[in-house]
Amino acid sequence: MTIRYRMILGGSKNFIEDYTSSLEFDKKLAKYAAMVMLAHVKVLANSGYIPNSYVQNIINELIDLSL
């Protein structure tokens, strides 16, 4: 049953290997995703949706991701 489920989802018996094969490419995209999230956090903070006490921690973490 498990193999059949994997074949339906992943198209092969190596579902996990196929799924994780994009991790190197995803790492390259993470920098840009973090930069977009940084812009969103600033807008949400300026609009009052994120408490000021959280903003700097979130920004610091996103900057760390984008380096």
Side-chain angles (χ1 to χ4, degrees):
M1 183 67 166
T2 303
I3 292 173
R4 177 186 273 169
Y5 180 71
R6 286 183 188 167
M7 290 178 71
I8 291 170
L9 287 178
S12 74
K13 292 181 183 178
N14 299 321
F15 176 69
I16 300 300
E17 291 83 3
D18 292 345
Y19 178 76
T20 59
S21 67
S22 69
L23 287 179
E24 287 305 313
F25 181 71
D26 293 344
K27 287 178 186 177
K28 294 175 186 175
L29 293 178
K31 173 182 178 177
Y32 302 104
M35 291 168 61
V36 169
M37 285 186 252
L38 184 59
H40 287 180
V41 166
K42 289 179 179 181
V43 169
L44 291 171
N46 289 336
S47 300
Y49 289 104
I50 298 176
N52 288 333
S53 58
Y54 297 138
V55 172
Q56 194 57 52
N57 288 336
I58 295 169
I59 288 173
N60 290 342
E61 292 298 324
L62 289 171
I63 289 172
D64 285 346
L65 284 173
S66 65
L67 296 178

